[in-house]
Amino acid sequence: MSLVLDSAAQDLLFREARTANTFTDEPVTEEQVQAIYDLVKYGPTAFNQTPLRITLVRSPEARERLVKHMAEGNQPKTSTAPLVAILSADNEFHEEIPALFPAFPQAKDLFFAERPVREQSAVLNAALQAAYFIIGIRAAGLAAGPMTGLDFAGVQKEFLDADHTPLMVVNIGKPGEDAWYPRGPRLAYDEVITTV
């Protein structure tokens, strides 16, 4: 085996982990979310930017407001998950670059002065961070149910502002009964990897 990570951890994070579609009613605590974030915040991004913003939907009123913007097939999952997170990209992330990338604080104005450039970078790097967040959820012994079947404009209007682009909604909790669909196939190494 060429990996340093032990087999059990590999299973937890990748091989056995799948998107959960049902959850138990065991709550997801603030301490668990804090531990997840404190782990995954170290994942690499360009210029150490951190455009990902996470809105935790905990109150019944907020949950009801969110569910109406989910695709019909996703509404039951979002209604019953112990915790739901809206992941978005902060298009004004560049304001933090001088503090987060002190080796080159000028990057804020040199590379990100124009809004379209910022938006493109925010979505790419927040998507990287979203993937780290999902792996962090798995590392906490929880399951994630990331979904993009939603009314993005509706979610933005209901929960965010013009400076935040919604990326996905993630249901979080302990997997419930019949939580998994069958494992989907994956491409083989030689279908993906090219050496030049």
Side-chain angles (χ1 to χ4, degrees), residues 141-164:
L142 300 170
M147 300 172 296
T148 56
L150 57 113
D151 172 6
F152 285 91
V155 168
Q156 182 175 32
K157 183 176 180 183
E158 192 85 42
F159 293 95
L160 307 170
D161 59 32
D163 287 331
H164 293 81

Side-chain angles (χ1 to χ4, degrees), residues 12-158:
L12 177 70
L13 299 178
F14 296 100
R15 285 192 293 258
E16 298 298 326
R18 304 219 291 277
T19 295
N21 295 290
T22 67
F23 298 89
T24 69
D25 57 4
E26 184 178 329
V28 176
T29 67
E30 201 66 33
E31 292 77 18
Q32 286 173 301
V33 177
Q34 178 79 49
I36 291 164
Y37 179 73
D38 285 342
L39 174 66
V40 303
K41 68 184 179 184
Y42 295 108
T45 58
F47 295 102
N48 202 35
Q49 62 184 272
T50 56
L52 180 68
R53 297 296 178 265
I54 302 169
T55 304
L56 299 178
V57 181
R58 287 201 181 271
S59 74
E61 298 80 18
R63 182 75 62 103
E64 189 175 313
R65 288 169 35 220
L66 176 59
V67 167
K68 71 181 183 183
H69 296 293
M70 301 304 295
E72 186 176 342
N74 290 334
Q75 289 179 356
K77 302 175 202 178
T78 303
S79 295
T80 58
L83 180 61
V84 181
I86 301 168
L87 306 191
S88 62
D90 181 356
N91 295 307
E92 297 300 312
F93 71 89
H94 69 304
E95 296 294 343
E96 300 157 343
I97 284 182
L100 294 174
F101 199 62
F104 188 38
Q106 308 90 318
K108 172 188 176 244
D109 298 314
L110 188 61
F111 295 110
F112 302 111
E114 296 180 17
R115 175 72 181 234
V117 173
R118 283 200 310 274
E119 288 177 352
Q120 184 177 18
S121 188
V123 167
L124 171 63
N125 287 280
L128 283 173
Q129 291 185 284
Y132 304 143
F133 183 66
I134 291 166
I135 299 300
I137 291 168
R138 293 172 174 182
L142 300 170
M147 300 172 296
T148 56
L150 57 113
D151 172 6
F152 285 91
V155 168
Q156 182 175 32
K157 183 176 180 183
E158 192 85 42

